[in-house]
Amino acid sequence: MPLTAYDLSGRTALVTGAASGIGRASAALLAEAGAVVHCADSDAAGLEETRALITAAGGSACTHPLDVTDRTRLRAAVDDVISTAGRLDIVAAIAGIMHSGMVLETEDEDMDRVLAVNFKGVLYACQESARAMIRTGAPGSIITMSSGAVDAARPGLLCYSVAKAAVVQLTRTLATELGPYAIRVNAIAPGWIRTPMTERHDAALQHRTEEAMARISPLRRVGEPGDVAHTVLHLASDASAFTTGQVIRPNGGVAMPW
Ligand code: NAP
């Protein structure tokens, strides 16, 4: 397969969580590869910054301020993509929140909120996008955001890791159901990535998780948003045309499941 397999010219992408961190880096890289990128996030100001970044680099982007727990707003964003571009080729469901709390201190509201954003928000994006892809007959790539939290049990990460494990099972199930429509579905399970989310986490716990994670990585470092964005690009592009139902791990080698 030639290197042009990574060329996304003529493709349309929807990226949730595009106002910050991994989502912003992914939206920018997909645009650099030639896709028109529809950026969705609850942070309207951050979305504008991402759009400005993309257009300054010569790319093309639109913004959709929305909460991914609101299925109606997600459906409207997908409808807008289809009415302006006529097709939706790539979806990267990246929006998510971190939550820390020991099991015995976990309230119903904690679990409900994390599942609503990190699982249902991904489910809604997958459902609404896949319906549009099937309607328009375009082959597609759906990318979901899991986490390295599914590869190990750690104190305080119950809500987060349960939601991210649910994302893996959603991804694998959807891959079996959407394959016949030429729609591929894959999950990414990153290790510790330096983003506003992880910076907030360490500040709240007054802990340098970053240093601990770097120590246990064979590469002796944590990740940058670009490390994950390149995995998103690979899964979005024809370079991964035979890959579906997989969990890809840009994690610096901190976990090495078979
Ligand atoms: P980030 O910098 O905080 O970016 C996440 C973005 O999602 C933010 O702009 C956030 O907006 C938005 N968002 C949160 N809840 C939303 C909602 N209900 N509707 C719409 N947008 C919402 O975090 P990140 O580190 O890039 O993480 C991105 C994804 O990667 C998450 O799913 C995370 O779980 C996953 N992940 C991250 C790491 C890591 O080490 N960073 C590792 C594994 C997996 P607000 O800022 O307004 O909340």
Side-chain angles (χ1 to χ4, degrees):
M1 194 178 289
L3 206 53
T4 50
Y6 286 97
D7 183 0
L8 300 182
S9 302
R11 312 268 173 105
T12 304
L14 173 65
V15 179
T16 75
S20 178
I22 294 168
R24 170 176 287 172
S26 301
L29 192 63
L30 294 177
E32 195 181 331
V36 173
V37 183
H38 289 254
C39 301
D41 202 289
S42 51
D43 174 1
L47 272 183
E48 270 315 308
E49 286 173 25
T50 302
R51 194 186 60 75
L53 200 81
I54 290 174
T55 51
S60 189
C62 317
T63 58
H64 301 268
L66 56 79
D67 187 325
V68 293
T69 65
D70 183 345
R71 180 196 283 284
T72 311
R73 288 286 297 115
L74 265 173
R75 184 177 300 153
V78 170
D79 286 347
D80 187 54
V81 175
I82 299 298
S83 67
T84 54
R87 56 190 287 163
L88 176 58
D89 307 278
I90 299 155
V91 176
I94 297 178
I97 53 172
M98 183 79 129
H99 174 82
S100 302
M102 304 296 267
V103 175
L104 301 191
E105 276 89 53
T106 297
E107 305 282 352
D108 284 0
E109 300 76 46
D110 300 327
M111 186 60 97
D112 290 347
R113 178 69 191 147
V114 178
L115 282 174
V117 178
N118 290 4
F119 175 62
K120 282 188 167 179
V122 175
L123 172 67
Y124 296 162
C126 290
Q127 288 176 316
E128 298 306 326
S129 306
R131 285 179 187 137
M133 286 171 173
I134 291 170
R135 251 191 341 265
T136 57
S141 173
I142 297 176
I143 299 151
T144 61
M145 194 51 64
S146 181
S147 164
V150 301
D151 291 323
R154 290 190 203 287
L157 273 189
L158 176 77
C159 296
Y160 185 77
S161 59
V162 162
K164 294 299 188 181
V167 166
V168 169
Q169 208 51 23
L170 164 67
T171 304
R172 289 151 45 124
T173 307
L174 261 185
T176 66
E177 295 180 3
L178 298 180
Y181 298 98
I183 300 170
R184 299 181 296 108
V185 193
N186 292 286
I188 302 178
W192 192 265
I193 310 294
R194 190 180 291 140
T195 68
M197 172 189 281
T198 48
E199 278 162 16
R200 280 193 304 271
H201 175 269
D202 270 9
L205 298 186
Q206 296 181 311
H207 183 254
R208 295 302 297 161
T209 312
E210 183 176 313
E211 283 158 23
M213 296 310 285
R215 265 198 304 279
I216 60 168
S217 161
L219 299 176
R220 299 288 183 267
R221 71 169 178 93
V222 297
E224 300 293 337
D227 291 317
V228 185
H230 277 273
T231 307
V232 170
L233 171 61
H234 176 70
L235 291 174
S237 75
D238 294 345
S240 61
F242 197 48
T243 303
T244 196
Q246 304 303 307
V247 180
I248 312 292
R249 294 175 163 82
N251 65 8
V254 296
M256 303 183 188
W258 287 86

